[in-house]
């Protein structure tokens, strides 16, 4: 059952073999034996990919929950009340490196039987396919297969360096951005429009990046106007190295959520991690629900 679940999630017998340490032929034999016992095909196999059949998808959803329940029952039977096991967390690189990794020593000291694997990417991650327990994501949850718990709020603002503004002037209203070089975040939802309280402005610019950290560095190099989470540039705003723009037109804060698969039992290690990062973000200017600009 475990082999089938992870084969569907990873799409690879070899990945399951490495994870479970049993060899790829054994993975194939286990799944074939399961299919024989059930009297139905659970996977379509080809040289390029594994795809679950309709029966396989239904079996997977219940098998995944069963495995979580078995793990919890075994833990309870052993009297192990403390969180334990491997926790897989996905989040954006900037948030992961600057807030989560820096807080990890305290978390690992508090929960010595938990291991943490971070998947740092600005791209959308399929939690089921990647075997991820929690993803930390901004915005309103739209996927009905996921559940979410708010762990903070994030405020995005327009900023530019003093050098850029000295050379090109300061925009007074959102429409003025169309006359400026704007730093484009290529992974931004909504087609790249920058939202303001009266509507989005579809900006343009000569520099495009798929990383918020890259955009932060680019705006500090006088390359254009950026639209960034305020917490990522709190230090530069305090020092005056970057200046906030168009704050009267701000679209407001958006939720930052810990999301997880609705069909899974949330492991205890994941629940305590969500509590932990909620406290971390509550102590972080720009993520704590309060604005860091006037």
């Amino acid at each position: 059952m475990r082999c089938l679940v992870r084969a569907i999630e990873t799409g690879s017998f070899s990945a399951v073999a490495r994870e479970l340490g049993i060899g790829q032929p054994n993975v194939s034999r286990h799944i074939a034996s399961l299919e024989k016992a059930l009297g139905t095909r659970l996977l379509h196999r080809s040289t390029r990919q594994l795809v679950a059949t309709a029966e396989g998808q239904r079996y997977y959803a219940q098998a995944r929950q069963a495995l979580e329940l078995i793990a919890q029952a075994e833990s309870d039977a052993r009297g192990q009340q403390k969180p334990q096991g491997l926790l897989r967390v996905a989040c954006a690189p900037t948030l992961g490196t600057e807030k989560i990794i820096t807080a990890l020593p305290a978390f690992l000291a508090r929960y010595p039987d938990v291991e943490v694997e971070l998947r740092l990417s600005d791209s959308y991650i399929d939690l089921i396919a990647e075997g991820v327990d929690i993803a930390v994501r901004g915005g309103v949850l739209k996927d009905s297969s996921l559940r979410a718990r708010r762990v903070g709020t994030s405020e995005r603002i327009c900023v530019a360096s003093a050098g850029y503004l000295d050379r090109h002037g300061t925009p007074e209203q959102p429409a003025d951005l169309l006359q400026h070089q704007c730093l484009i975040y290529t992974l931004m939802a909504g087609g790249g429009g920058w939202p303001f309280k009266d509507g989005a402005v579809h900006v343009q610019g000569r520099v495009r990046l798929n990383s918020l950290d890259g955009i932060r560095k680019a705006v500090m190099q006088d390359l254009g106007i950026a639209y960034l989470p305020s917490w990522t540039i709190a230090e530069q705003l305090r020092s005056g190295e970057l200046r906030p723009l168009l704050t009267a037109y701000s679209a407001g804060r958006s939720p930052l959520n810990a999301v997880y698969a609705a069909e899974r039992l949330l492991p205890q290690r994941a629940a305590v991690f969500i509590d932990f990062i909620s406290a971390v973000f509550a102590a972080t200017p720009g993520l704590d629900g309060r604005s860091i600009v006037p």
Side-chain angles (χ1 to χ4, degrees):
M1 188 184 292
R2 187 174 291 110
C3 285
L4 175 77
V5 165
R6 292 303 292 141
I8 290 175
E9 291 178 341
T10 65
S12 167
F13 280 2
S14 59
V16 178
R18 288 193 299 271
E19 181 178 309
L20 301 181
I22 60 175
Q24 185 171 332
N26 285 327
V27 173
S28 181
R29 280 194 291 270
H30 283 315
I31 293 176
S33 177
L34 181 60
E35 290 177 322
K36 183 178 180 181
L38 295 174
T40 188
R41 181 174 291 277
L42 301 173
L43 291 175
H44 291 303
R45 304 162 176 82
S46 73
T47 56
R48 301 183 63 180
Q49 62 179 350
L50 299 173
V51 179
T53 64
E55 294 78 11
Q57 284 288 358
R58 288 194 296 269
Y59 184 82
Y60 162 80
Q62 297 181 53
R64 190 68 181 80
Q65 290 185 345
L67 289 171
E68 291 285 0
L69 287 169
I70 290 168
Q72 186 62 55
E74 290 176 345
S75 176
D76 292 345
R78 297 188 186 103
Q80 296 171 330
Q81 301 301 320
K82 295 181 179 179
Q84 60 180 310
L86 176 61
L87 175 68
R88 294 185 174 96
V89 180
C91 65
T94 304
L95 184 66
T97 55
E98 297 192 13
K99 294 302 171 186
I100 294 181
I101 290 178
T102 55
L104 271 184
F107 177 80
L108 296 175
R110 187 180 302 177
Y111 303 106
D113 296 323
V114 176
E115 303 172 30
V116 177
E117 178 182 319
L118 283 178
R119 309 280 182 89
L120 302 180
S121 174
D122 278 321
S123 301
Y124 181 89
I125 289 180
D126 186 324
L127 272 64
I128 298 297
E130 297 288 338
V132 170
D133 296 296
I134 303 168
V136 182
R137 294 175 178 166
V140 178
L141 181 65
K142 298 179 181 179
D143 189 339
S144 61
S145 69
L146 301 175
R147 291 179 181 170
R149 176 180 158 189
R150 183 173 296 192
V151 292
T153 62
S154 181
E155 174 190 35
R156 287 181 178 250
I157 60 173
C158 282
V159 294
S161 65
Y164 176 88
L165 296 175
D166 288 344
R167 288 196 297 271
H168 302 283
T170 301
E172 300 296 333
Q173 55 187 357
D176 294 344
L177 293 171
L178 298 175
Q179 309 304 317
H180 284 266
Q181 288 295 321
C182 295
L183 301 169
I184 308 300
Y185 177 46
T186 57
L187 299 180
M188 187 173 185
W194 290 3
F196 295 93
K197 66 179 182 181
D198 296 324
V201 176
H202 289 269
V203 299
Q204 298 183 9
R206 296 173 60 195
V207 177
R208 306 169 66 87
L209 302 102
N210 67 347
S211 161
L212 291 179
D213 192 46
I215 289 179
R216 179 175 58 178
K217 289 181 170 58
V219 72
M220 292 168 61
Q221 293 297 316
D222 305 337
L223 289 176
I225 296 175
Y227 186 67
L228 286 167
S230 61
W231 70 267
T232 66
I233 47 174
E235 182 178 340
Q236 290 80 13
L237 289 171
R238 284 194 298 267
S239 69
E241 187 175 2
L242 293 179
R243 299 177 184 175
L245 307 172
L246 306 172
T247 55
Y249 300 92
S250 172
R253 292 179 289 275
S254 62
L256 187 66
N257 296 313
V259 300
Y260 53 94
E263 62 190 29
R264 291 184 177 180
L265 177 70
L266 187 67
Q268 187 183 14
R269 59 185 178 274
V272 297
F273 183 81
I274 292 174
D275 290 339
F276 181 82
I277 61 171
S278 295
V280 170
F281 295 162
T284 301
L287 292 176
D288 58 0
R290 293 174 290 182
S291 179
I292 65 173
V293 295

